[in-house]
Amino acid sequence: MELSERKQKILQAIVDEYLGTAEPVGSRVLSKRNELGLSSATIRNEMADLEGMGFLVQPHTSAGRIPSDSGYRFYVNSLMQRYQLSVEAIEKMQSVLEERVLQLEHLIRKASLIASTLTEYTTIVSTPDTVQSVLKKLDLVHLGGGNVMLIVVTKEGIVKNQMLPVRLDEQTTVGLNEILNRRLTGLRADEISFRTIELMQTEIEQMLRLSPKVLISIMSFVYETIESLDETHFFVENAKSILQYPEYSSIDKAKRILNFLEDEKNLRQMMKTDGNGGVEVKIGTETGFEELSDCSLVTVDYSVNNKPVGKIGVIGPKRMDYAKVIANLDCISSHIDKILYQLYIGESEG
């Protein structure tokens, strides 16, 4: 649906005003804005037209109007001004993200905190879909008394620690550790099938004195540990921040949103990586969740070697500062991409 230039200016002015005040906007308020140069009566007529076209709604009996989902959508797609981050802000963001990056999980947690701090909204970050993770090393650590810990480390910085379900002496632990590393490191997680593990058993049986029952137990455990690397996890930062906005002053509404954010099934569906990349904005009912019908969700993928592997998202009221949120998420995502490339792709190329 096309809008005249005057209607576009009025819609933009209403959205900009409502973003800051959370109060319905009337024609008298807009008429005082010098850039419009229109009388209150003219603005009132245009607002009535915009309401009839579905871009504005009139809450209760208020004389003012607020943007509808369609109004916000038109604003985001066609009217929103680009938000420019300062050079200092970009450099500070990069410095914080790069500081002491030892594991990918640390980086993701840090990105979640930064996004929440900069936007002042609830942030959700998913850990990567690790089906392409490459095993960097496996360590069997003898802890004494026959207890052995298996430590799996991927090139993407994911670390998994598990206690072996059987007891081994130190010599057997060293021998088994050597075989596991020689056979499995450098493989992708999805290349390691149960058949791969079974084929290793012949060599292990020849070199180590392990009963078939113990060997099967160990190899099954190793396989299950590696398979579990593919689980995506989610970090929610500052969930209660949404309660500071007047739209969520209702206790029932606040509970619904907080309960929604505590359910990992909801987060998994909401933060699904579709591989399209770029920033995506979903407004109200576009989110597909009744609990978020009064919210907007802005997400951006982060990538390894140009392949989207995870997502950063911000949830806030529909009157969120879209331009600021998009600019910050886009910048954070770009920095994460560079860090991941340097850590995991650049290292292998070097």
Side-chain angles (χ1 to χ4, degrees), residues 102-103 133-141 149-161 177-187 192 222 225-226 229 347:
L102 301 177
Q103 293 182 16
S133 291
V134 176
L135 292 187
K136 185 175 183 179
K137 65 175 180 177
L138 296 91
D139 282 337
L140 289 176
V141 182
M149 176 177 285
L150 170 65
I151 304 174
V152 180
V153 183
T154 74
K155 286 192 65 178
E156 290 71 26
I158 299 167
V159 180
K160 192 88 171 180
N161 302 333
N177 188 73
E178 189 276 328
I179 296 172
L180 289 176
N181 274 281
R182 175 159 44 79
R183 287 294 199 104
L184 299 179
T185 55
L187 295 178
I192 302 171
V222 170
T225 302
I226 294 172
L229 290 171
E347 175 186 291

Side-chain angles (χ1 to χ4, degrees), residues 72-183:
Y72 282 120
R73 172 52 60 197
F74 191 90
Y75 172 83
V76 169
N77 289 353
S78 306
L79 305 176
M80 183 176 65
Q81 301 296 310
R82 184 179 177 86
Y83 186 92
Q84 187 66 49
L85 295 173
S86 69
V87 174
E88 292 78 12
I90 294 172
E91 290 178 346
K92 184 175 181 180
M93 187 187 301
Q94 183 174 7
S95 174
V96 172
L97 282 170
E98 289 181 346
E99 183 183 7
R100 298 182 64 190
V101 177
L102 301 177
Q103 293 182 16
L104 183 126
E105 185 173 306
H106 295 163
L107 175 63
I108 299 307
R109 282 183 176 273
K110 197 180 295 185
S112 177
L113 179 59
I114 291 173
S116 179
T117 301
L118 293 176
T119 64
E120 299 181 8
Y121 299 124
T122 300
T123 302
I124 305 166
V125 180
S126 65
T127 59
D129 174 3
T130 56
V131 71
Q132 296 296 321
S133 291
V134 176
L135 292 187
K136 185 175 183 179
K137 65 175 180 177
L138 296 91
D139 282 337
L140 289 176
V141 182
H142 199 270
L143 303 177
N147 295 309
V148 179
M149 176 177 285
L150 170 65
I151 304 174
V152 180
V153 183
T154 74
K155 286 192 65 178
E156 290 71 26
I158 299 167
V159 180
K160 192 88 171 180
N161 302 333
Q162 299 275 17
M163 292 296 296
L164 242 60
V166 298
R167 294 177 182 271
L168 301 175
D169 59 54
E170 192 165 358
Q171 184 177 355
T172 302
T173 301
V174 172
L176 184 58
N177 188 73
E178 189 276 328
I179 296 172
L180 289 176
N181 274 281
R182 175 159 44 79
R183 287 294 199 104

